Amino acid sequence: MQKVAIQIRENMSFEKLNLSNEILKSVKKEGYTEPTPVQMQTIPMILALRDVFATAQTGTGKTAAFVLPILQNLGKKSKRKDSKDSPRALILVPTRELAIQVHNFVKTYGSNLSLKSTVIYGGVSENTQKEELEKKPQIVVATTGRLIEHINSGSIKLDEVEVLVLDEADRILDMGFSKEIQEIISRLPKKRQNLMFSATQNEAVKKLANAILVQAVKVKITRENRTSLNVKQSVIPVVSEQKMELLSHLIGIRNQQVMVFARTKLQAEELVKHLKLDGLKTVSIHGDKTQAARLKALNSFKEKTAKVLVATDVASRGIDIELLPLVINFELPDNPQDYVHRIGRTGRAGESGEAISLICKDEFFRLKSVENLIKEKLEQNPMDGYEHEMGKRPTHDNITDEMRNNAKKSQKKPYIKKETRSRTGKKRKTTKRDSR
Ligand code: AMP
């Protein structure tokens, strides 16, 4: 593969990228003043119909990097007859959220062109999507599983696809869709343009790239598995019993919108319950939620009616929330690459952001894997009033009177209903041990 050698010039403009007036108008309407590095490097290559293999994190503007030139290429060629059953561009993405988001960008950036598009993803009825496919869209954005279902039921053909995009290819592979990708590729014409985007890289991604890309231009925006430089990262060591309390405390003192990551659906629901008790308007998205419920949650977070969005890793990709200032990892993920994706929710498109991970002793090994992956040691900032076991553990010699008193207080006493104030200052009714 060939590495692209484009000099990143100061004040590079979209006009210099040879984009058409129709595209330039929509870019301007979005308020973009100059292309991001991934856009500078990939747009000319895609316009020249080259295959591209780009390593770019989410938040770098990678969606526009492929959507803008694809729209221009498709719009330029003579209109094809409406009788064709196959789209001309197929964009494969890992999650429903990303599918909707990418499709929204296709509609926004293509608002001055007459190219029909649609989006297909699982978790909702196939019939409405079939009706949309019957309108012969030229661009289809799809998640892998649902696309296979439409192929099998005969509602889509792929024999006229001119350009294939694998967006967040590493994630599609992580989700176990390797076979399905092969199946989809076997339905495509041999002669086509292939574009692969991946935030992180591993052997499986490289293998797939070697299998499908032809003389591709390789574009690398950041070091592999590198987290965004705009995100201030830190770790707060804390004992597991105090994690919930610390979470409410942090959200309370920050008074900012925050996205909180949990490792499991169960954990996510527990967090929602706890934060709601603390008076924080909290919504959640995870695999057990219906598509409608996920969209509702996401919209109330985007409209800023909800202050906290709790999510699992399923949802960690493909969410674009403008100016999200803070991400809190309630627990570190099992897969260290998910850490990179999680914190990519903040510090997007040049804005600064912050990512805080709450770590207890049992998670130390996860912290090590994250640090090994990102080749960076994360700053540990213990917080006053919160115990941790990362360094010195209490021994008989260093146990203080306060610790002894706390231990006495926590000895079993009958439960009574009490009204307490949470760390955020809101009243909450809770069941407490009687302190009499
Ligand atoms: P992405 O990496 O595609 O998820 O894009 C992240 C965010 O960057 C989105 O909110 C885009 O609207 C925004 N964006 C994309 N290109 C530009 C640009 N050239 N200037 C400013 N913002 C951009």
Side-chain angles (χ1 to χ4, degrees), residues 202-296:
N202 54 39
E203 283 314 306
V205 171
K206 287 177 192 161
K207 207 171 135 196
L208 182 63
N210 286 336
I212 64 169
L213 301 175
V214 182
Q215 293 182 338
V217 174
K218 198 173 180 187
V219 173
K220 204 171 192 173
I221 296 307
T222 48
R223 167 158 67 87
E224 277 175 35
N225 299 323
R226 176 93 184 248
T227 50
S228 168
L229 292 174
N230 299 331
V231 183
K232 180 174 175 275
Q233 303 167 68
S234 66
V235 162
I236 305 182
V238 59
V239 290
S240 58
E241 298 78 23
Q242 285 188 320
K243 258 195 181 185
M244 289 274 194
E245 194 187 333
L246 176 56
L247 178 67
S248 300
H249 177 60
L250 282 174
I251 299 173
I253 55 171
R254 292 302 179 108
N255 201 22
Q256 286 169 315
Q257 267 205 313
V258 52
M259 188 160 174
V260 177
F261 280 98
R263 226 154 40 83
T264 63
K265 301 171 217 172
L266 205 70
Q267 174 87 86
E269 278 313 300
E270 262 179 44
L271 291 181
V272 172
K273 236 190 272 168
H274 171 87
L275 294 171
K276 278 186 175 167
L277 273 176
D278 271 351
L280 293 161
K281 181 96 180 56
T282 306
V283 290
S284 65
I285 46 171
H286 55 68
D288 273 356
K289 296 243 162 183
T290 62
Q291 185 57 19
R294 289 197 205 188
L295 280 178
K296 196 171 159 218

Side-chain angles (χ1 to χ4, degrees), residues 14 30 32-36 39 57-64 101 105 109 320 322 348-349:
F14 277 106
E30 282 305 285
Y32 305 166
T33 49
E34 56 184 78
T36 64
Q39 292 164 1
Q57 292 165 261
T58 124
T60 54
K62 69 178 170 60
T63 315
Q101 189 176 297
F105 278 129
Y109 300 144
D320 180 33
E322 273 174 48
R348 292 169 84 87

Side-chain angles (χ1 to χ4, degrees), residues 177-211:
F177 283 122
S178 172
K179 258 198 186 150
E180 285 80 356
I181 291 183
Q182 299 306 334
E183 167 68 26
I184 291 164
I185 286 169
S186 73
R187 310 263 173 168
L188 303 175
K190 291 232 162 3
K191 197 172 170 308
R192 56 171 199 269
Q193 186 179 21
N194 300 291
L195 313 173
M196 229 173 120
F197 287 78
S198 185
T200 53
Q201 281 221 14
N202 54 39
E203 283 314 306
V205 171
K206 287 177 192 161
K207 207 171 135 196
L208 182 63
N210 286 336

Side-chain angles (χ1 to χ4, degrees), residues 49 92 101 117 162 188 238 246 274 324 350 354 379 412:
L49 300 176
L92 280 182
Q101 189 176 297
S117 63
E162 294 163 35
L188 303 175
V238 59
L246 176 56
H274 171 87
L324 179 61
E354 188 171 357
E379 195 178 302
K412 285 214 160 143

